[in-house]
Amino acid sequence: MFNHNKRLQYTVRVSETNPALANLLLEQFGGPQGELAAAMRYFTQALAEEDAGRKDMLLDIATEELSHLEVIGSLVAMLNRGAKGRLAEAVDSEAELFRSLQGAGNDSHVTQVLFGGGPALINSAGVPFSGAYVDSIGEPTADLRSNIAAEARAKIVYERLISVTEDPGVKDALTFLMTREIAHQKSFEKALYSMDKSFPPGKLPGDPRFTDVYVNASRGEGDATGPWSQGKDFNKVITPEADALPVDGGDGRASVTLGADEKQAVAAFAARGASDPSRDPVTGADLGTVQQEPKA
């Protein structure tokens, strides 16, 4: 059960309205790296979590992400507030109002007309929020790594948003939100490392024949080596042209054992759809080709 506190987690101070900036901030409201996506990701993970400590951490961070959603949504609403009133009351000429809403050439005029300047559940390009942004798989060793990456991506988006505004109050609030991404990333890393066996993810071990093999599949200018491809963790490097393929020693063909009825049905299907290489009919493309007579 939730109990809403009417005070924001961080104070929002906007120096002047700016619909174009508000539209950009929607990226962190309803976008794939935004606060709602993070809250839903961590809530759903928490509900399925069997470890008491991780469950509590995920619920704490998920709830805080909702508070961040409130902060970013309040920024969007405040940045839109002046334009919202002008549009609702039609106090400007049509041309002047359109120019003010369009700002730096983005789609803030669309969000104003459709959503009245409110923080709609869309990203900055107007794409609706999707549950597909929640990429949890129900395996803590994989989900925690995904969470770490999600926090890193969100931090990068906040850095980019900070760089496009000169409003000190907006910068301050965005810096707070960016900084909390670092704290969450730290918590997720600590939770991952607290597990006795966090790599490889899942339960089953890899096939030892291929675990420490690196496949140098892209060769030519720019070919490089490093600890990601050689050394104590990689005991073999395969180059497709030089090494025997397939790597399992088989013939590299796909096969299946069929019953008698299945063989008969597949043979009939193949015969019915067999091509005749000797046929060379005139095609529609041929009919549309105009033959030009060579000039004398």
Side-chain angles (χ1 to χ4, degrees):
M1 187 179 80
F2 293 91
N3 183 28
H4 181 256
N5 187 320
K6 289 184 173 57
R7 289 179 297 173
L8 297 172
Q9 186 186 19
Y10 199 83
T11 304
V12 170
R13 300 181 182 90
V14 175
S15 299
E16 61 180 357
T17 59
N18 186 335
L21 178 59
N23 197 74
L24 292 177
L25 294 191
L26 284 173
E27 194 62 42
Q28 288 304 86
F29 194 77
Q33 320 305 336
E35 303 295 352
L36 180 60
M40 294 301 98
R41 182 182 296 114
Y42 308 149
F43 264 128
T44 53
Q45 289 176 16
L47 294 175
E49 181 59 70
E50 298 296 334
D51 182 85
R54 289 197 301 269
K55 187 182 190 77
D56 182 55
M57 175 197 68
L58 287 164
L59 287 172
D60 284 339
I61 296 178
T63 305
E64 186 182 0
E65 300 289 16
L66 284 181
S67 75
H68 294 173
L69 184 72
E70 188 176 24
V71 171
I72 199 77
S74 296
L75 282 168
V76 171
M78 295 302 100
L79 287 166
N80 273 329
R81 200 165 189 180
K84 172 184 176 180
R86 293 198 305 272
L87 181 63
E89 301 303 318
V91 296
D92 296 332
S93 68
E94 291 89 342
E96 181 60 33
L97 186 57
F98 183 77
R99 280 194 296 271
S100 68
L101 294 179
Q102 198 171 26
N106 65 19
D107 292 332
S108 59
H109 58 292
V110 176
T111 58
Q112 288 283 344
V113 171
L114 291 181
F115 308 110
L121 285 176
I122 56 176
N123 71 0
S124 59
V127 179
F129 176 80
S130 171
Y133 299 157
V134 180
D135 56 359
S136 303
I137 199 169
E139 166 56 53
T141 57
D143 284 339
L144 287 170
R145 285 186 169 85
S146 179
N147 296 351
I148 292 166
E151 295 291 328
R153 291 192 298 268
K155 180 181 183 292
I156 295 301
V157 175
Y158 275 126
E159 288 185 8
R160 293 170 179 172
L161 291 173
I162 290 169
S163 69
V164 298
T165 178
E166 297 179 352
D167 190 312
V170 175
K171 276 183 176 288
D172 184 54
L174 293 178
T175 299
F176 164 75
L177 294 171
M178 178 200 72
T179 304
R180 292 305 298 160
E181 309 294 349
I182 301 172
H184 294 166
Q185 181 175 346
K186 187 188 303 184
S187 293
F188 290 136
E189 286 198 55
K190 294 289 187 181
L192 177 65
Y193 301 151
S194 71
M195 302 172 69
D196 182 45
K197 295 180 180 178
S198 66
F199 190 84
K203 177 182 178 181
L204 296 177
D207 187 326
R209 295 179 298 167
F210 312 121
T211 302
D212 301 328
V213 173
Y214 183 83
V215 179
N216 186 18
S218 175
R219 294 161 308 287
E221 185 178 354
D223 213 12
T225 59
W228 55 85
S229 62
Q230 63 182 14
K232 62 183 179 65
D233 294 319
F234 291 95
N235 57 32
K236 184 177 182 181
V237 176
I238 290 179
T239 303
E241 289 99 337
D243 295 282
L245 290 178
V247 295
D248 63 343
D251 62 10
R253 295 183 175 87
S255 63
V256 60
T257 302
L258 300 177
D261 291 344
E262 291 174 319
K263 285 183 179 180
Q264 184 177 2
V266 170
F269 172 78
R272 179 165 55 84
S275 60
D276 181 357
S278 66
R279 295 188 64 193
D280 188 14
V282 176
T283 68
D286 294 325
L287 293 174
T289 302
V290 178
Q291 298 293 333
Q292 297 290 338
E293 293 293 334
K295 294 182 179 180

